[in-house]
Amino acid sequence: MRYRKSVTNGLFFVLLLMLIMLMSGCTSFMDISATQSLYKGAKYQGAYESLLLEAPSLLKKQGPIIVNYDLGILSRLGGNYSDSNNYLSESERLIWEAYTESVSGNIASFLVNDNTKAYQGEEYEDMYLNVFKALNYIHLGETEAALVELNRSIEKQTFLKQKYEQYEQQMTAYAREEGLDAPTVQTYATAFSTSALSNYLSASVAQALGEDNTLHFAIDQVRHAFSSQPSLYPFPLPSVVELEEDPFPQDMGRLHLVSFSGQSPLKEERVERVYVSSYNRAKIAYPVLVGGSSQIQAVRVSIEGQPMIPLQRIESISNIAIDTFRAKSELIKMKAITRAMAKAVGIALYDEYAAQDNNVTAGEELLGMIFRIARDATESADVRSTHFLPSEAWVGYVDLPEGTYIITTEFLNASNQVLHRSPGKTVQVQAGSLHVAEAFCPL
C-alpha cells in the first residue's frame, strides 16, 4: 500500500502542475474598453495615450507582439508615422522569432493549450503590418523604403501555404512520437494567395520610382487577385488598375487616396465534444474568426477646387483574415484532438493501475474524477489578437498642380447618408512627386 500511496501522490503532483498551467494559460483577457471607446470615437491620439498607460498590464496579459502592433496602428492614426514604424518593426521581429522557434515544436502547447505560450501573431496580421509600414514611409517621403515593405508583404503571401504545411507536419510528427493515431480532421485549403491592396500600392510606388516592370507585374497581380479569388473579392475590379496606362506626371503631383473602414474580425471560442476512444469523450476548444458588419458602403473625398472623388473598394481585410485563419483554426483543432488523445491515454493508464487489485479506494476514485475534470478544464481556446486592424480598404488617385490642399473624406451608408467625416487634412503637393492622403472610419 505504501507503493500505491507514493504513486498516487506523484499523480496528484502532476495534477497540481496541470492546474498551475491552466491558471497561467487562461488569464490573458484584459479590459481595454477605455481605449476602444476613444478609438471608436475617432479620438486616435487619445486612444494611443490611453493604451500607452495600459501597456504594462497588456504586455503581461497578452504579450509584446500585441502591445507593439496596437501601439503601431494607433500611433499612425494619430499621424506619428516614425513611431508607428518603430512599433510595427518590433512586432514584426517578434513574430518572426516566434515562428522560427515554433518550427522546432512547442511541447507545452500540445500538453495543455495554446494559451501556455507567448502569442505568436497571425499570418494576416504579419502580412498587413508591412502594408501599414509602407504607407507610413510614403507619408515620410521615403518611397524606396515603402516599396521594400510592400515586397515583404507580397513575399509573406507566397509563404503562407508552406507555413501551414509545416504546422500540419509538426502535429502529425508529435502524434507519431507519442504512439497516437493522427486525428482525422478535414483541413481547409485557403482560397487566399494574392492581396490586391499590397500589389496596387506596390504598382503606385513603382510607377513613381520609374520601375515599369514592377508596375506592370503588380497591376497584373491585382487583376489576378480579383479573377482567381472571387469569394474574397465579391465586388467589381476597381478602375484604378488603369494606373499603368496613366503616365506619372512630371508637371503635377500624384495624390493617392487611401481609406480604411470598419474593424477586422475578432476571435471566438468554439467547443466540441469528440470521442478519443470507444468509451472516452473529451472536450476540445479552438478559436475561429468572426467578422462584424459595417454600415459603410461608400467613401468619397472632397478636395478644394476639385469635384468630389468617389473611392473604390479594393480589399476586404476581413475576408482575407477569416479565410487565412480558417486553415490555421482547423490545424489548431487537430492539435486539440491530439492533446485529448494523449490525456485519454494517461487517464486510461491511471484507471488500469487503480483497478489492478480490484480494490479501488475512495481517494483513488476521487483522483480519477479530478483528472477527468482537469482534462477538460485545461482546454480553452487562445482568443488573443490585435485590436485595431480595419475591415475594408478603399482607393483612388488624382493629379493636382503644385500647392496646398485641404482634403476631407466622407464615409456613407447604403442610403448615401454620411455616417462619418474625417477632419480636413492639409497636404502639400509637389510636382513630379508621390503623395498619399489617408482617412479612417472605425464604423
Side-chain angles (χ1 to χ4, degrees):
M1 294 300 293
R2 290 181 181 176
Y3 173 72
R4 168 170 292 185
K5 185 176 181 181
S6 66
V7 173
T8 302
N9 286 341
L11 290 170
F12 188 75
F13 179 70
V14 173
L15 172 61
L16 288 176
L17 287 178
M18 291 178 67
L19 292 177
I20 291 171
M21 294 175 74
L22 169 65
M23 293 175 65
S24 66
C26 300
T27 58
S28 61
F29 172 77
M30 180 176 167
D31 181 10
I32 58 169
S33 57
T35 298
Q36 290 174 323
S37 178
L38 290 166
Y39 163 78
K40 290 178 180 178
K43 299 176 181 178
Y44 303 125
Q45 184 61 31
Y48 169 77
E49 293 171 359
S50 173
L51 189 65
L52 205 57
L53 292 175
E54 297 176 316
S57 298
L58 187 61
L59 179 66
K60 183 177 179 180
K61 293 284 189 180
Q62 301 191 354
I65 288 176
I66 289 176
V67 171
N68 282 284
Y69 204 113
D70 286 351
L71 287 172
I73 295 296
L74 291 179
S75 58
R76 74 180 306 274
L77 293 178
N80 301 311
Y81 303 116
S82 293
D83 289 346
S84 174
N85 273 352
N86 290 334
Y87 286 124
L88 294 175
S89 294
E90 178 64 8
S91 188
E92 182 179 26
R93 182 187 69 80
L94 293 168
I95 289 173
W96 174 249
E97 285 185 358
Y99 170 71
T100 55
E101 290 176 6
S102 72
V103 170
S104 60
N106 190 322
I107 298 302
S109 67
F110 280 106
L111 293 177
V112 186
N113 60 57
D114 289 336
N115 287 314
T116 63
K117 59 185 177 182
Y119 182 69
Q120 297 180 321
E122 300 301 344
E123 280 68 25
Y124 64 90
E125 293 170 335
D126 190 27
M127 180 184 73
Y128 283 112
L129 177 153
N130 297 104
V131 171
F132 293 121
K133 286 177 67 178
L135 287 168
N136 288 342
Y137 277 124
I138 296 175
H139 283 293
L140 295 169
E142 301 179 38
T143 51
E144 292 185 354
L147 189 57
V148 170
E149 294 298 333
L150 293 165
N151 287 337
R152 285 179 181 169
S153 178
I154 294 167
E155 288 170 2
K156 290 174 181 178
Q157 295 163 34
T158 62
F159 193 43
L160 274 179
K161 183 178 179 181
Q162 181 181 342
K163 290 180 73 172
Y164 288 132
E165 289 174 348
Q166 287 177 332
Y167 293 145
E168 187 171 358
Q169 290 168 3
Q170 278 183 297
M171 186 278 302
T172 304
Y174 174 80
R176 188 186 305 114
E177 290 173 4
E178 297 299 316
L180 305 170
D181 294 329
T184 55
V185 176
Q186 181 65 44
T187 56
Y188 173 75
T190 176
F192 176 73
S193 62
T194 307
S195 163
L197 174 62
S198 58
N199 277 283
Y200 169 72
L201 293 175
S202 177
S204 302
V205 175
Q207 186 182 48
L209 294 173
E211 298 187 13
D212 290 342
N213 290 338
T214 301
L215 162 65
H216 298 308
F217 176 79
I219 289 296
D220 285 343
Q221 288 299 104
V222 175
R223 292 191 172 96
H224 175 72
F226 275 78
S227 63
S228 64
Q229 305 166 118
S231 62
L232 304 181
Y233 294 88
F235 37 84
L237 177 71
S239 61
V240 290
V241 295
E242 302 302 327
L243 175 75
E244 61 181 335
E245 306 299 330
D246 191 1
F248 195 83
Q250 296 304 314
D251 57 342
M252 303 176 78
R254 177 155 292 177
L255 177 64
H256 282 275
L257 307 167
V258 181
S259 291
F260 297 97
S261 62
Q263 186 171 6
S264 65
L266 299 175
K267 292 178 185 174
E268 292 184 0
E269 182 179 68
R270 291 288 183 270
V271 174
E272 295 182 16
R273 299 279 174 173
V274 298
Y275 282 98
V276 294
S277 67
S278 300
Y279 307 102
N280 198 333
R281 196 162 178 251
K283 166 192 171 183
I284 64 166
Y286 57 96
V288 296
L289 271 185
V290 178
S293 59
S294 173
Q295 299 182 61
I296 303 303
Q297 297 298 315
V299 181
R300 64 191 183 192
V301 176
S302 171
I303 304 176
E304 55 182 343
Q306 301 289 324
M308 191 75 74
I309 302 171
L311 302 191
Q312 298 174 293
R313 194 192 316 255
I314 193 169
E315 189 137 301
S316 171
I317 296 172
S318 289
N319 284 353
I320 292 173
I322 291 172
D323 181 77
T324 55
F325 185 74
R326 184 177 171 188
K328 187 173 183 180
S329 179
E330 292 295 334
L331 291 173
I332 294 172
K333 184 177 179 180
M334 294 172 74
K335 288 174 62 177
I337 294 175
T338 304
R339 287 197 302 271
M341 293 168 63
K343 292 175 184 178
V345 169
I347 291 174
L349 290 173
Y350 173 78
D351 290 345
E352 181 181 350
Y353 166 78
Q356 65 184 3
D357 59 358
N358 297 318
N359 183 26
V360 180
T361 67
E364 289 169 339
E365 187 172 350
L366 176 61
L367 187 56
M369 185 180 300
I370 293 175
F371 271 125
R372 284 168 168 79
I373 294 173
R375 173 196 63 192
D376 289 350
T378 52
E379 280 299 324
S380 63
D382 182 7
V383 294
R384 293 172 292 179
S385 64
T386 56
H387 301 94
F388 304 109
L389 274 176
S391 175
E392 308 288 326
W394 309 75
V395 294
Y397 72 90
V398 61
D399 295 335
L400 297 171
E402 279 195 338
T404 302
Y405 299 87
I406 297 177
I407 300 170
T408 304
T409 305
E410 297 178 338
F411 296 82
L412 304 89
N413 63 12
S415 301
N416 222 32
Q417 295 175 312
V418 177
L419 300 184
H420 179 77
R421 180 179 289 106
S422 69
K425 291 187 176 181
T426 302
V427 176
Q428 181 71 41
V429 174
Q430 296 179 341
S433 298
L434 173 71
H435 305 274
V436 63
E438 273 191 87
F440 190 85
C441 170
L443 302 178

